[in-house]
Amino acid sequence: MEFAGGVLFEPEGGGSGAAGAGVIVLGGSEGGLHELDAALLAGHGFAVLALPYFGAPGVPENLVDVPLEHVGDAVDALAERVGGPVGLVGGSRGGELALLAASVLPSVRAVVSVVGSGIVTQGIGAGKRLLEVLDVDAAAWTWKGQPLPYLPCAVSPGMRAAIVDGEPVVLAEAFDLGDGFPEDVEIPVERIAGPVLLVSGDRDASWPSADLSEVAHRRLKANDHPHPCEHVVHPGAGHLLAGPPNRPQPDSVVDGPGVRFEMGGDRATTARAKTDTWNRTTAFLKTHLKTHPES
C-alpha cells in the first residue's frame, strides 16, 4: 500500500498497530524504491516502508538538496500507524542518510547503516558522464532549509586514466581521507536515540565504507553513546552487502554514467558477507525494536 510517499509492507495479518514496530528502508545512489527488500523484511514481523528520497515521483530528481524532514515525516507517520518504535535501515548513500537523519530525529530508535558513511558526502547531480556528475558541487542534504556541509569529491589520476582507457573506475578514489577532513562534515551520531549497527567491507571500491563507517564508530565510542553500537568489517568483501541474500549476486562491475564501476571484493566472499549482514540486520532489529519500550 502507498504510505507517506513510499510503499508500506505489513506482516501477515497486519493492520494498524499489528506489527508493534516499524522499519524504513533507504536505498543507495541508484535512487527510487527498494520494495523487495522491504517486503522480505516485513516477513520478520515489522511494518516496513520502502521510502524513496530521490529519483522517484514526489522527491528530488537527483541526490541534491534532499530535506531530512522527508525522512522525519515518514518516521512520524509510521510510528503512529504501528504504535511503537521505528528504525532506519540504509545501504550506501542510504546508510549515510540513516545515520544523518537519526542524528536530528529523536523519534528514530535504531539504525542499521550498511556500507554507509559517518561523514556527509557530496551530492550527485545530473549528468550523462561521470566527470559531469562529479563536477556538480552541491549538497546532498538539507535541514531546516539549509544545505549541510559535506566532503567534496576529487577525481584522482587513476580515475581519470580509467575513464580515458574505458576501464572500470574505482570510485572510492574520489573520497580522499588521507589529509583529514573538516569536523563539521562528521555526522553527530552520538545524538542518535538508540543502538547503531555499522557494516562495511574492507575491499569496497565504490567508496571507502570501512573508513567512513569507522568515523561514526569512533565518534560513538568517544562520546560514550549510551546504547549498543558495533562496526562489523567483512574482510575481503566489496560494496554489494545491502539487501536480502536470496537474489543472484550481481557482477562486481556495474554500469555508471558513461563508465563501468568496480564494486570491489571477492564475489564469493561478498556474497557470504551479504548473507551475514542480512542476518545481523534482522536479529538487531528484533532485539532493539521489538523490546524497546514504547514512548
Side-chain angles (χ1 to χ4, degrees):
M1 64 180 296
E2 293 186 2
F3 183 83
V7 178
L8 179 66
F9 297 86
E10 295 182 285
E12 198 168 327
S16 182
V23 177
I24 295 176
V25 172
L26 303 165
S29 59
E30 69 284 346
L33 283 164
H34 279 237
E35 294 179 73
L36 178 59
D37 297 14
L40 292 173
L41 192 53
H44 290 270
F46 302 100
V48 185
L49 177 65
L51 183 70
Y53 54 94
F54 83 100
V59 292
E61 181 178 356
N62 300 300
L63 184 47
V64 173
D65 291 340
V66 174
L68 299 182
E69 287 87 350
H70 174 64
V71 179
D73 290 345
V75 170
D76 292 344
L78 186 55
E80 181 177 358
R81 182 171 182 84
V82 302
V86 172
L88 302 179
V89 175
S92 194
R93 291 305 295 264
E96 175 187 327
L97 174 57
L99 293 170
L100 183 58
S103 75
V104 298
L105 301 171
S107 51
V108 175
R109 297 305 175 85
V111 178
V112 180
S113 174
V114 179
V115 293
S117 172
I119 295 174
V120 180
T121 58
Q122 180 175 315
I124 302 175
K128 295 183 177 180
R129 300 289 176 184
L130 178 59
L131 293 180
E132 295 174 0
V133 173
L134 294 179
D135 194 47
V136 177
D137 191 6
W141 322 108
T142 68
W143 175 240
K144 297 181 178 179
Q146 297 300 312
L148 297 181
Y150 58 89
L151 179 72
C153 293
V155 180
S156 72
M159 289 176 60
R160 197 175 295 277
I163 294 170
V164 171
D165 296 339
E167 298 294 328
V169 174
V170 177
L171 189 58
E173 295 180 10
F175 301 88
D176 185 6
L177 308 180
D179 294 329
F181 43 84
E183 187 175 357
D184 66 355
V185 303
E186 291 189 18
I187 298 173
V189 290
E190 66 276 8
R191 299 177 187 170
I192 295 174
V196 178
L197 174 62
L198 307 160
V199 183
S200 58
D202 71 354
R203 291 178 57 190
D204 190 339
S206 183
W207 66 353
S209 61
D211 292 336
L212 292 169
S213 296
E214 187 55 30
V215 172
H217 188 239
R218 169 184 55 77
R219 189 158 181 142
L220 288 165
K221 291 295 187 182
N223 288 280
D224 295 322
H225 189 60
H227 305 279
C229 61
E230 183 180 14
H231 181 198
V232 178
V233 182
H234 288 285
H239 187 70
L240 300 174
L241 300 185
N246 63 335
R247 291 177 285 180
Q249 184 71 358
D251 290 336
S252 61
V253 179
V254 302
D255 289 333
V259 298
R260 300 268 284 164
F261 286 135
E262 173 61 57
M263 295 288 100
D266 173 77
R267 187 173 182 181
T269 300
T270 300
R272 288 192 295 270
K274 183 174 185 176
T275 299
D276 181 79
T277 299
W278 179 258
N279 292 338
R280 287 179 185 271
T281 297
T282 55
F284 174 88
L285 295 172
K286 288 175 182 178
T287 297
H288 296 295
L289 288 182
K290 289 295 191 179
T291 62
H292 198 291
E294 294 186 17
S295 56

